[in-house]
Amino acid sequence: MANYNRRDFAKLVVLGGIGYTVFACADDPKKDASTATKEEEKVTPKIPELLPENIKLYQKADAEYQDLADRFNKRFQQSPTYIAQCFTTQGVADAVEFANYKDLKVVVKSGGHSFEGFSSTNDGLVVDVSAMKKMEWRPDHSLSVETGCILKEIYNEMLPKQRILPSGSCATVGIAGLTLGGGYGFFSRKYGLTCDSLQAITIVDGQGNIRHESGNSAILKACKGGGNGNFGIVTKMKFRTYQAPSFFQAYRCKAYKLDTARAKNLLETWFRYTRSLPNTAFSAFVLNGKTLTILITNYSNDNKGVMDMYNALKEVSDKATIGSKRPLPKALKTFYGVQHPIYFKNACAGLYKDFAEIEGCIDDVISKVISSRGLIYQVNTLGGNINSAASEKRSVYPHRSYPYLSELQSYWDKPSQEVSRLVAFKEVQDRFYKQGIRAHYRNYPDINFKDYETAYYGKYLPELKAIKKQLDPDNRIQHPQSISL
Ligand SMILES: Cc1cc2nc3c(=O)[nH]c(=O)nc-3n(C[C@H](O)[C@H](O)[C@H](O)COP(=O)(O)OP(=O)(O)OC[C@H]3O[C@@H](n4cnc5c(N)ncnc54)[C@H](O)[C@@H]3O)c2cc1C
């Protein structure tokens, strides 16, 4: 356990009303009141004045607490003992020092979109960086962002400058959580995962040290696919950006009242044609009960593979439409999704190499999905330049050779609907497990995944454990599926 630094203790004492309550000596088993008073007197007055700009600490009785405790997934109603709202990297370091002093576990929160509530806790300290939103351009078109930024803020900054970062589509997802687990979206088959564009980071480790990592740093590498709440709190990220395309076009095919045989035939056709898509295209197969939507997007005039796929699917669908070529800012907004908290359960349903991998279980899966209220099975295209040897060397994302990423989803309105939704969900997951599907995307976690460390990190697990040991030997930073020592 790291020793508490006296100067920092005194710095933290002057945080204000709540700060004083939190750090009062009577609350501290290791010190008595007279010792602490002497320590406070030793501190130069200038340092405490800086602190409210760095960090504010909240407990349950505070008016601000509940807003900060809420997450995008209403299924989780967690109550951390403390929430440290941080405004600077120094504030994050102070929060970790406080946690070390109080012997609290630290949980990290940026955009708050974790599927499984991994950015909150019931018994520790949440380090919340969501108020840290500065962005700064460099002459080489790279963009440095603080990790409180959410995707729509980054798009709003980049798109008017005709720049783009390969990233996710949903407006309120945090850039931090997304990048640290990999990050994919419409532009990834051409430009790689979001983490592949990450050039430098500032990170506060589990002992409160501030580190700047770039180039061939092993810590930077570990944060490209393995950095979600495992060994440090990333406060700044510098990204390479790309010239934005001049248009974006969406194609949709829909089929209704599906039975298992027809849905399976459509899925097989989808897999077949995705193999010839250009790298500027993306596609998703979304089976929502008995209704299927196939989305194909593209942003280049290399359109042959897209048209071949669209025409083949049109023949076997009930409705097919080609959207107009739209300017990127407008087109992306149509995919921003729900921007307020909802009840849901989402999880990875496996990364696949091809249809053959799931053929043995797909009849059971489809028949469960079409007979279960509110269950959605989706398969997305990865592949293209995600599968690059150069990116493989510089990251710990282990699934580059899998061109398909699937997910299960369920959304509901009232807590009473949760149990039945989760039962059907688990049945489909079990079917995939029996089929031998083991590789899972870290950003689509599930608390029930067996052997989750290998499923998320594969061959890079030993490297990540070594980084954990180096940066967080006391296992200060953790969540239910964080890397174990
Ligand atoms: C509606 C929705 C749409 C999505 N769309 C996509 C998509 O298009 N593409 C895609 O790749 N993923 C997508 N995801 C998954 C998304 O990438 C993950 O949920 C991601 O982890 C969310 O990051 P966050 O910062 O919003 O969440 P948080 O809940 O704040 O954090 C998620 C995890 O990252 C850790 N973490 C957060 N900030 C930091 C930090 N600064 N330093 C260290 N660890 C940190 C947390 O401890 C937690 O374990 C989507 C999720 C949702 C809910």
Side-chain angles (χ1 to χ4, degrees):
M1 201 68 57
N3 287 330
Y4 188 72
N5 171 319
R6 290 179 175 193
R7 184 169 142 268
D8 288 333
F9 171 73
K11 274 162 59 179
L12 289 161
V13 167
V14 294
L15 285 172
I18 178 66
Y20 188 77
T21 312
V22 167
F23 292 96
C25 306
D27 191 31
D28 172 12
K30 298 176 199 154
K31 295 182 167 97
D32 64 28
S34 59
T35 332
T37 307
K38 276 179 204 156
E39 284 168 358
E40 283 167 44
E41 284 167 6
K42 284 182 204 160
V43 174
T44 54
K46 194 175 164 212
I47 296 163
E49 282 170 17
L50 298 174
L51 285 166
E53 294 167 23
N54 292 335
I55 180 172
K56 281 184 188 159
L57 272 170
Y58 297 104
Q59 288 187 278
K60 278 173 210 160
D62 297 308
E64 296 87 345
Y65 178 92
Q66 197 51 52
D67 269 357
L68 289 168
D70 288 346
R71 295 288 179 271
F72 184 72
N73 194 344
K74 284 166 71 175
R75 191 157 61 90
F76 298 99
Q77 307 284 335
Q78 291 145 298
S79 300
T81 311
Y82 299 101
I83 300 176
Q85 187 182 33
C86 299
F87 306 105
T88 61
T89 299
Q90 184 57 50
V92 171
D94 289 346
V96 174
E97 292 246 11
F98 174 58
N100 283 343
Y101 171 69
K102 297 286 279 187
D103 198 16
L104 295 165
K105 77 172 173 197
V106 169
V107 173
V108 195
K109 188 253 176 176
S110 292
H113 275 54
S114 167
F115 284 0
E116 290 287 17
F118 291 166
S119 52
S120 195
T121 173
N122 283 314
D123 52 5
L125 177 140
V126 167
V127 173
D128 185 330
V129 299
S130 61
M132 295 175 62
K133 289 185 182 288
K134 285 191 198 118
M135 295 190 224
E136 197 186 335
W137 287 97
R138 303 284 159 86
D140 64 354
H141 298 296
S142 61
L143 180 67
S144 286
V145 303
E146 287 189 328
T147 46
C149 293
I150 57 174
L151 296 187
K152 74 173 169 186
E153 292 163 346
I154 290 184
Y155 290 139
N156 286 344
E157 178 64 33
M158 286 189 172
L159 295 177
K161 296 183 167 61
Q162 283 82 51
R163 304 300 295 178
I164 191 72
L165 173 71
S167 186
S169 47
C170 287
T172 49
V173 168
I175 189 66
L178 180 125
T179 307
L180 295 170
Y184 80 96
F186 295 129
F187 305 97
S188 297
R189 284 166 45 80
K190 183 158 169 70
Y191 298 114
L193 298 171
T194 316
C195 70
D196 297 333
S197 295
L198 187 62
Q199 297 178 318
I201 54 167
T202 299
I203 183 168
V204 176
D205 70 21
Q207 298 174 298
N209 303 307
I210 298 171
R211 296 165 178 268
H212 305 284
E213 305 291 336
S214 59
N216 292 327
S217 150
I219 295 169
L220 176 63
K221 181 184 176 194
C223 284
K224 297 181 178 188
N228 294 94
N230 282 331
F231 40 72
I233 302 157
V234 179
T235 59
K236 285 181 194 159
M237 294 176 152
K238 178 173 165 258
F239 289 103
R240 176 182 178 188
T241 69
Y242 304 83
Q243 177 69 44
S246 57
F247 71 89
F248 190 88
Q249 197 167 16
Y251 306 69
R252 286 182 177 81
C253 296
K254 297 204 83 154
Y256 306 100
K257 296 185 181 164
L258 288 169
D259 60 20
T260 302
R262 190 168 169 224
K264 181 183 173 185
N265 179 45
L266 279 154
L267 180 59
E268 219 176 335
T269 309
W270 181 84
F271 267 96
R272 191 161 60 247
Y273 280 92
T274 51
R275 287 202 291 264
S276 309
L277 286 175
N279 283 351
T280 50
F282 164 87
S283 186
F285 174 99
V286 188
L287 183 64
N288 182 349
K290 291 182 180 162
T291 301
L292 171 69
T293 305
I294 291 175
L295 170 72
I296 315 166
T297 64
N298 193 17
Y299 50 90
S300 84
N301 291 318
D302 172 7
N303 216 29
K304 184 176 176 318
V306 172
M307 283 315 295
D308 288 350
M309 181 168 175
Y310 174 79
N311 288 330
L313 287 166
K314 189 179 171 186
E315 287 299 305
V316 285
S317 321
D318 298 323
K319 190 178 168 191
T321 53
I322 302 183
S324 57
K325 290 183 176 178
R326 306 181 71 196
L328 197 56
K330 270 195 184 160
L332 291 187
K333 272 192 185 143
T334 60
F335 296 98
Y336 271 5
V338 177
Q339 297 189 34
H340 56 80
I342 47 175
Y343 292 101
F344 71 97
K345 165 86 184 175
N346 287 5
C348 188
L351 286 125
Y352 321 138
K353 294 219 162 122
D354 52 35
F355 181 72
E357 276 194 57
I358 53 169
E359 199 165 5
C361 70
I362 204 65
D363 288 288
D364 290 353
V365 166
I366 290 174
S367 86
K368 191 73 206 169
V369 171
I370 62 183
S371 63
S372 305
R373 198 178 161 78
L375 199 54
I376 301 170
Y377 172 59
Q378 178 165 344
V379 193
N380 306 298
T381 52
L382 296 179
N385 290 326
I386 292 172
N387 194 11
S388 126
S391 302
E392 171 89 44
K393 265 198 225 155
R394 293 194 201 101
S395 83
V396 300
Y397 177 80
H399 304 309
R400 292 185 186 276
S401 61
Y402 292 91
Y404 300 100
L405 166 65
S406 69
E407 53 184 308
L408 274 182
Q409 305 170 38
S410 188
Y411 304 89
W412 57 90
D413 301 321
K414 297 182 215 136
S416 58
Q417 296 166 298
E418 177 175 325
V419 173
S420 61
R421 295 299 178 92
L422 296 193
V423 169
F425 201 98
K426 181 82 176 33
E427 280 178 35
V428 175
Q429 287 182 308
D430 288 347
R431 199 58 199 82
F432 278 120
Y433 190 80
K434 269 195 210 145
Q435 182 64 21
I437 299 299
R438 294 289 186 277
H440 291 296
Y441 177 34
R442 166 58 186 85
N443 275 348
Y444 291 174
D446 191 297
I447 197 69
N448 295 317
F449 284 152
K450 296 183 186 98
D451 200 10
Y452 57 85
E453 287 186 318
T454 306
Y456 299 148
Y457 307 118
K459 66 181 180 189
Y460 294 108
L461 185 57
E463 234 172 279
L464 285 168
K465 280 186 184 287
I467 296 286
K468 172 78 178 173
K469 208 168 166 188
Q470 180 194 348
L471 296 197
D472 188 21
D474 299 320
N475 196 22
R476 180 66 56 206
I477 299 171
Q478 48 173 288
H479 57 70
Q481 290 187 338
S482 53
I483 292 186
S484 55
L485 278 166

